[in-house]
Amino acid sequence: MATFDTHRPTIVDVAIAAGVSKSLVSLALRGDAGVSEATRTRITGVADRLGYRSNRLARSLVQGRTALFGAITTDFGNAYYTEILSGIEAAAENAGFGVLIAQGRRDAGRLAARVDDLIGLNVDGIVVVSSRVDPQVLSSAARRLPIVVVGRMPEVIAGIDTVTSNDEAGAFAATSHLLDGGHRQIAFVTASSRPAAVARRAGFDAAMRAVSERPIVVSAADQQDLEAQIRTLLTGTYHPSAVVASNDLTGVAVMDAAIDLGLNVPGDLAVVGYDNTALASLVRPRLSSVDQPSDSIGKLCVEMLLERLQGRSVDRHEVLAPSLVVRASSA
């Protein structure tokens, strides 16, 4: 069985081994110009040999900053969330920051606990990629450090920046694309009642009103219910010829059920998803989807956090314009 040395080398250990003062070690490892290159090389060599690593949290108590951001999401299983996290990490790295990432497993209590955990780790700001966190938790956190929320919140919270997409416009574009293709019996399928899904339903309804057609709506409580309702939808008397799904996971579930039933996509059923995650390009036929650029979202979140750290006090609420990416599932 492997054993580990629980003693972590300290800056004092490095100083003793190198035969210099603790302050000189600190200057050398920090890259201070007042230390000769020969001395710096000797000290860094000793530090490497001992396995010394600087204590970021201890240093933060002195400097007041950790150069770390926190990022919390609802669910690692949804590619949309993980792609935004990747964008946040890339943008933070370009700004010289690291990122601590956590998830709440679609549970508001867990999400709130993760916010507290990150505050306890002294991060310099937090991006919450979820609309499920209790507004009171966010409001309290925003009094201590910068907070940015990605997604539609049920209410505006003073002191918090937000990044959202124009969900109504995205769903309107997806539905209009299907209408332009000659479809009239179009269904909107969702497994969420969150504000973003509600806004996408509104965009779908608006497009359908333009042709005076009765919209078909499937709203499931969970994934198991979703699969059952999709099957009922596709085998019913008034089954649709096209579906607008509230996200890519739901769009893929619709295509999966259609293929199991012997339907051709897009010949018998056209499908458009939402979020344009990597999943949309991996399935066959490739899924048409409304794009929300994760890199741009991540960059904007980090930009907002940095602005807050530099003194901005006026709240920012950015709404990004989505775009429809047409692929084989609705061609």
Side-chain angles (χ1 to χ4, degrees):
M1 182 176 179
T3 58
F4 301 95
D5 183 0
T6 58
H7 172 70
R8 294 183 177 181
T10 68
I11 196 170
V12 174
D13 296 324
V14 176
I16 293 172
V20 298
S21 68
K22 184 177 73 171
S23 59
L24 185 58
V25 172
S26 179
L27 291 172
L29 297 180
R30 202 166 60 220
D32 194 280
V35 181
S36 71
E37 194 57 40
T39 300
R40 188 190 322 281
T41 300
R42 180 160 59 89
I43 290 173
T44 55
V46 170
D48 287 342
R49 177 168 56 82
L50 293 179
Y52 171 76
R53 295 292 182 271
S54 63
N55 189 324
R56 185 189 290 265
L57 291 179
R59 188 171 68 249
S60 73
L61 295 176
V62 178
Q63 299 177 342
R65 295 281 177 84
T66 58
L68 285 172
F69 288 140
I72 306 170
T73 189
T74 297
D75 181 12
F76 287 161
N78 188 320
Y80 172 63
Y81 299 132
T82 56
E83 287 175 16
I84 290 178
L85 292 177
S86 180
I88 292 168
E89 185 178 47
E93 184 178 359
N94 288 337
F97 282 71
V99 180
L100 301 179
I101 297 175
Q103 71 164 329
R105 303 180 191 173
R106 296 185 173 274
D107 180 85
R110 286 180 180 273
L111 285 164
R114 298 296 83 79
V115 171
D116 285 341
D117 290 343
L118 289 172
I119 291 174
L121 290 171
N122 232 25
V123 296
D124 295 327
I126 298 175
V127 180
V128 179
V129 189
S130 172
S131 62
R132 294 174 182 264
V133 182
D134 189 305
Q136 290 186 347
V137 172
L138 293 174
S139 181
S140 175
R143 290 194 287 269
R144 303 176 64 179
L145 76 174
I147 301 289
V148 177
V149 173
V150 178
R152 286 176 175 258
M153 294 296 295
E155 60 189 83
V156 175
I157 305 172
I160 290 177
D161 297 327
T162 61
V163 180
T164 61
S165 175
N166 189 334
D167 293 299
E168 293 93 338
F172 186 93
T175 309
S176 298
H177 161 66
L178 294 171
L179 290 170
D180 291 344
H183 297 281
R184 290 297 179 267
Q185 292 180 216
I186 305 174
F188 178 80
V189 180
T190 182
S192 173
S193 59
R194 303 302 301 170
V198 172
R200 292 169 192 178
R201 161 74 191 277
F204 168 77
D205 286 345
M208 292 300 290
R209 281 197 298 271
V211 293
S212 301
E213 292 292 331
R214 171 178 169 267
I216 309 167
V217 177
V218 172
S219 183
D222 51 41
Q223 189 63 32
Q224 185 174 358
D225 182 36
L226 175 68
E227 293 172 1
Q229 290 210 42
I230 289 172
R231 190 173 186 87
T232 299
L233 171 73
L234 299 183
T235 56
T237 303
Y238 188 68
H239 58 81
S241 65
V243 167
V244 175
S246 64
N247 60 33
D248 286 349
L249 286 173
T250 300
V252 170
V254 170
M255 290 204 302
D256 185 56
I259 291 170
D260 282 349
L261 291 169
L263 300 176
N264 174 270
V265 178
D268 298 317
L269 183 74
V271 183
V272 179
Y274 208 109
D275 294 332
N276 195 35
T277 61
L279 182 63
S281 296
L282 293 175
V283 295
R284 297 294 183 275
R286 290 184 173 89
L287 178 66
S288 296
S289 187
V290 178
D291 182 59
Q292 302 186 87
S294 55
D295 286 345
S296 297
I297 292 172
K299 184 177 180 180
L300 189 53
C301 290
V302 171
E303 176 186 304
M304 288 176 163
L305 291 178
L306 293 174
E307 287 178 352
R308 288 286 193 181
L309 292 175
Q310 293 162 6
R312 175 173 57 83
S313 58
V314 178
D315 298 351
R316 282 183 64 181
H317 301 290
E318 299 293 336
V319 180
L320 303 181
S323 59
L324 177 63
V325 179
V326 177
R327 298 189 179 93
S329 70
S330 68

